[in-house]
Amino acid sequence: MLRELHIHNYFLINNLSLNFSDGFTLITGETGAGKSMLIGAISLLLGDKAEQKMLFDPEQKCVVEGIFHIEKLHLQYFFKQYELDYLPETIIRREIAPKATRSRAFINDTPVTNAQLKELGSQLIDIHSQHETLNLNNPAIQLQIIDQFGKLENQTEALKFLFIEIKKEKKELAEQTVLLQEVLREQDFRRYALQELDAAAVKKGEIETLEREFQLAGNADILKTWLDRIHFLCNEQDPSLVQTIDALESEGKKISVKDETVEEILERLRSVSFELSDLANDANRISDRLNNDPEKLQQIEMRLDLLNRLIFKYHVRNEEQLLDLLNEYRTQVEEISQIESRIAILQENILQKETLWKEQADSLSKKRMQLAPIFSKKMTLLLQSLGMPDVIFELHRELQESPTETGIDKIKFLFTANKGSRPDEIRKIASGGELSRIMLAIKNILSDTLLFPTMIFDEIDSGISGTIAAKAGEMLKQISQRKQIIVITHLPTIAAFAEHHLYVKKDAQQSTQISVRYLFYEERIEELAQMLSGDHAMQEARETAIKLLQAAAKTN
């Protein structure tokens, strides 16, 4: 529960420190004095949006800090999950720096995200506002109330998770089905192309090789004659060029002249002889390979024609790109098999999860229907105690047209406060005061099941007065025996039931600020008297205030 609240530089609050106790704490003050600012500061600790306009002094940092006693809340798992220090007296702090685009949050001096702050805050304090009373008209909120009453949150979360999984897999199934249709539309062409390209057995660099062979084969006769002449002159004529060079070398060796130039000429003659021999051998070898083969020439020509036709047909530049295209088509054909396999898996998963969802949704629906008469009876008794003797409160259940994350049920709260009238949806029939009493009764019931150690009521008294307000105050006091509650009210009949009384005052001296302090018993009498009679408390109002406090003190 909330133990301490420290506020610095927040709206009209310059510096403020408050201690909170168990039970029923009341906040009163003049209209516009800033009572809701305290609730706003607490909401900031729970993860509400931070804004620059919250700064009292725009040049200074805003700091809101709360100390919470959490020892009995079994929250160790949260601290372990996010690697935070667990302390029975946990400190939550929120900081807004001047001109900063984002605020900072800390749990026990460790920086945390706003999502983590909200997760922890959602388990510490339940804040009721007039907006929440209006939300009571929403059937989704009504269903949530029944689930909270029956402590069905774990089942509803499991159902929601399963529904989200089904929705996610159905989305993927639809995407895969569209993809398969797109791929299949071009599948016939791809299969034909694969067969054609596979049959062609294209090789990398093949065209260049074939073009060389085509040139050789096309000029075989002329080339062979030329090569044979080279071989003849170098090796076969008498004397051959090799023989002539060798003879010149031999003559040079016989001349007894030791001269570097002459030696160099002899060496060059030997080199020329070797080169001519190699040249003759190469010419002879190539010539032997050359035959005038019209059939081979035709085969080469046909192969080149096939490759060039494929290149033109498939809009590529060379045989390498043909091979790339072949691999791409193979991958796409294999992809079809993969897509079909994934579709089959998704269909099976969805079928199994929908079956499981149906079982869980049916089970949850049965439990809700078992809870309905119990909840209705409790609500009827509480509303009767709040001044509605002829009230009828019922739960109407309809089946959803299609599955939802909350199951198959659609719950409507039906209500009438008038004898002889048929109950109808509260959004159609309940007045503002009746809505307030319905919400107070719901909070009373849920205070036994909700884990929040602290409940805050911001003007739960809307639309009620007199003896009904006294009944509401009594009910709030009953709730305070199970929870720490903080209540903002304008009604003295409710205020009298509080154990601790905070008074908020707006001071306008050099600058407008608000101050907050606890009231002693005599000061409470004065405050209640002013709430009864106006700005200047009359003696009669004081006597009435004393009677209210005494009567409230006698209630259990």
Side-chain angles (χ1 to χ4, degrees):
M1 62 184 61
L2 179 62
R3 286 301 187 196
E4 297 179 29
L5 179 64
H6 305 282
I7 305 172
H8 172 69
N9 200 42
Y10 174 78
F11 279 121
L12 298 180
I13 302 173
N14 188 10
N15 279 296
L16 178 65
S17 291
L18 293 172
N19 294 320
F20 289 88
S21 302
D22 301 349
F24 188 163
T25 296
L26 175 72
I27 302 175
T28 65
E30 297 175 357
T31 302
K35 299 182 291 296
S36 292
M37 287 183 192
L38 294 177
I39 309 304
I42 294 173
S43 298
L44 200 61
L45 290 178
L46 305 183
D48 268 16
K49 183 180 179 182
E51 299 178 281
Q52 284 291 310
K53 67 181 182 180
M54 292 177 174
L55 275 61
F56 174 72
D57 181 346
E59 302 301 321
Q60 292 187 38
K61 180 166 64 176
C62 167
V63 180
V64 179
E65 183 177 278
I67 300 177
F68 295 83
H69 183 70
I70 64 169
E71 189 172 13
K72 297 180 181 180
L73 300 183
H74 309 293
L75 293 174
Q76 287 87 341
Y77 75 92
F78 171 86
F79 289 83
K80 184 177 181 180
Q81 179 183 357
Y82 295 113
E83 299 181 349
L84 300 170
D85 293 331
Y86 174 79
L87 297 173
E89 297 286 332
T90 282
I91 301 173
I92 299 177
R93 187 170 75 255
R94 195 82 180 272
E95 297 180 356
I96 310 171
K99 301 177 183 177
T101 55
R102 299 178 64 183
S103 64
R104 301 180 69 198
F106 302 85
I107 296 175
N108 292 331
D109 288 329
T110 300
V112 294
T113 65
N114 204 47
Q116 291 167 347
L117 191 65
K118 283 185 176 181
E119 185 177 344
L120 179 60
S122 68
Q123 300 174 75
L124 297 177
I125 296 180
D126 173 42
I127 298 181
H128 166 79
S129 64
Q130 289 181 332
H131 176 69
E132 187 182 3
T133 300
L134 294 176
N135 280 343
L136 185 57
N137 291 320
N138 185 340
I141 299 297
Q142 295 172 12
L143 183 63
Q144 183 181 335
I145 288 168
I146 297 303
D147 290 339
Q148 289 173 341
F149 171 64
K151 297 183 180 179
L152 302 176
E153 290 92 336
N154 289 340
Q155 289 175 254
T156 55
E157 279 300 311
L159 193 68
K160 180 179 179 181
F161 178 79
L162 197 56
F163 181 83
I164 291 171
E165 284 292 302
I166 294 170
K167 188 176 179 181
K168 180 181 175 183
E169 291 190 344
K170 281 186 172 181
K171 181 175 182 289
E172 185 185 352
L173 177 61
E175 291 169 351
Q176 290 290 328
T177 303
V178 170
L179 180 61
L180 180 63
Q181 290 171 350
E182 290 175 354
V183 172
L184 287 175
R185 273 198 292 269
E186 301 178 11
Q187 181 61 5
D188 291 341
F189 169 75
R190 287 195 186 94
R191 290 192 186 280
Y192 171 79
L194 269 176
Q195 290 174 356
E196 186 174 40
L197 292 173
D198 272 331
V202 181
K203 299 180 182 66
K204 185 178 179 181
E206 185 179 2
I207 290 178
E208 185 179 349
T209 301
L210 287 171
E211 285 177 342
R212 285 200 305 268
E213 290 181 1
F214 184 80
Q215 286 179 340
L216 287 173
N219 294 282
D221 290 341
I222 299 171
L223 188 58
K224 185 174 178 60
T225 300
W226 177 66
L227 290 170
D228 287 344
R229 181 168 173 74
I230 290 172
H231 181 262
F232 175 78
L233 290 172
C234 289
N235 263 1
E236 293 185 356
Q237 76 172 351
D238 189 21
S240 68
L241 291 176
V242 172
Q243 290 172 338
T244 302
I245 295 299
D246 288 345
L248 288 172
E249 182 190 358
S250 296
E251 289 177 15
K253 287 180 179 179
K254 294 176 181 178
I255 301 172
S256 299
V257 176
K258 291 186 177 181
D259 182 76
E260 289 183 0
T261 305
V262 173
E263 290 295 329
E264 183 181 343
I265 290 172
L266 289 172
E267 181 63 33
R268 290 170 67 185
L269 285 171
R270 281 193 294 273
S271 296
V272 169
S273 176
F274 290 139
E275 184 66 29
L276 286 172
S277 294
D278 284 345
L279 179 63
N281 291 333
D282 287 346
N284 187 54
R285 179 169 47 79
I286 296 171
S287 175
D288 288 344
R289 286 192 352 237
L290 291 174
N291 293 307
N292 187 3
D293 189 347
E295 185 177 344
K296 181 179 180 182
L297 186 65
Q298 185 181 14
Q299 288 175 350
I300 294 172
E301 189 173 11
M302 290 173 63
R303 180 67 178 171
L304 282 170
D305 181 64
L306 171 65
L307 293 174
N308 286 318
R309 182 171 55 81
L310 291 174
I311 287 170
F312 177 79
K313 180 178 181 178
Y314 293 106
H315 306 289
V316 295
R317 295 180 180 178
N318 49 49
E319 66 270 39
E320 290 184 19
Q321 291 185 355
L322 273 178
L323 289 170
D324 290 340
L325 189 63
L326 175 63
N327 291 330
E328 181 183 334
Y329 285 164
R330 280 180 180 151
T331 301
Q332 289 173 342
V333 168
E334 291 171 1
E335 184 184 1
I336 290 174
S337 176
Q338 292 172 355
I339 294 172
E340 289 173 338
S341 176
R342 181 58 183 161
I343 286 175
I345 291 171
L346 286 169
Q347 288 172 333
E348 180 63 24
N349 286 349
I350 291 169
L351 181 61
Q352 290 178 359
K353 289 179 180 178
E354 283 184 333
T355 301
L356 181 59
W357 182 92
K358 182 69 167 60
E359 292 173 359
Q360 292 184 2
D362 288 343
S363 172
L364 184 60
S365 180
K366 288 177 183 176
K367 290 179 180 179
R368 286 167 173 165
M369 291 305 96
Q370 290 168 357
L371 290 167
I374 302 170
F375 184 80
S376 296
K377 184 176 180 180
K378 282 180 174 287
M379 283 294 296
T380 300
L381 291 173
L382 288 171
L383 291 172
Q384 285 173 347
S385 73
L386 288 171
M388 300 183 190
D390 300 315
V391 67
I392 297 175
F393 188 94
E394 297 175 349
L395 265 67
H396 175 70
R397 174 235 192 181
E398 297 175 359
L399 291 177
Q400 298 276 15
E401 293 181 1
S402 57
T404 69
E405 63 182 32
T406 57
I408 59 175
D409 303 308
K410 185 176 182 180
I411 296 291
K412 292 180 181 178
F413 289 173
L414 304 184
F415 162 86
T416 180
N418 302 317
K419 190 173 183 178
S421 297
R422 290 184 60 185
D424 201 349
E425 293 180 58
I426 59 172
R427 66 183 179 87
K428 297 178 179 178
I429 199 171
S431 66
E434 288 168 341
L435 271 178
S436 293
R437 282 179 274 178
I438 292 170
M439 179 55 80
L440 181 56
I442 289 170
K443 291 291 182 180
N444 191 331
I445 293 172
L446 296 185
S447 67
D448 286 326
T449 58
L450 292 177
L451 298 178
F452 304 110
T454 301
M455 301 176 75
I456 296 176
F457 297 89
D458 187 358
E459 299 191 10
I460 191 70
D461 54 13
S462 176
I464 61 175
S465 59
T467 57
I468 304 304
K471 293 289 186 181
E474 187 174 346
M475 190 170 290
L476 287 167
K477 187 173 181 179
Q478 291 171 1
I479 296 173
S480 74
Q481 293 170 359
R482 302 183 293 272
K483 306 282 185 183
Q484 178 192 45
I485 71 168
I486 300 169
V487 178
I488 294 178
T489 185
H490 295 286
L491 299 179
T493 42
I494 289 179
F497 285 89
E499 299 166 83
H500 319 287
H501 192 151
L502 282 169
Y503 179 71
V504 180
K505 183 180 179 182
K506 184 183 289 185
D507 298 320
Q509 296 177 353
Q510 293 181 348
S511 62
T512 302
Q513 298 183 30
I514 68 170
S515 60
V516 184
R517 65 184 182 88
Y518 278 101
L519 300 183
F520 296 107
Y521 185 76
E522 292 297 328
E523 292 173 312
R524 289 194 67 194
I525 294 172
E526 194 68 22
E527 170 63 5
L528 264 64
Q530 287 190 0
M531 293 170 73
L532 285 162
S533 63
D535 292 339
H536 302 289
M538 305 298 291
Q539 182 58 34
E540 185 180 347
R542 291 189 184 93
E543 292 173 0
T544 303
I546 292 171
K547 290 177 182 178
L548 287 175
L549 290 168
Q550 290 173 342
K554 294 177 183 178
T555 60
N556 295 323

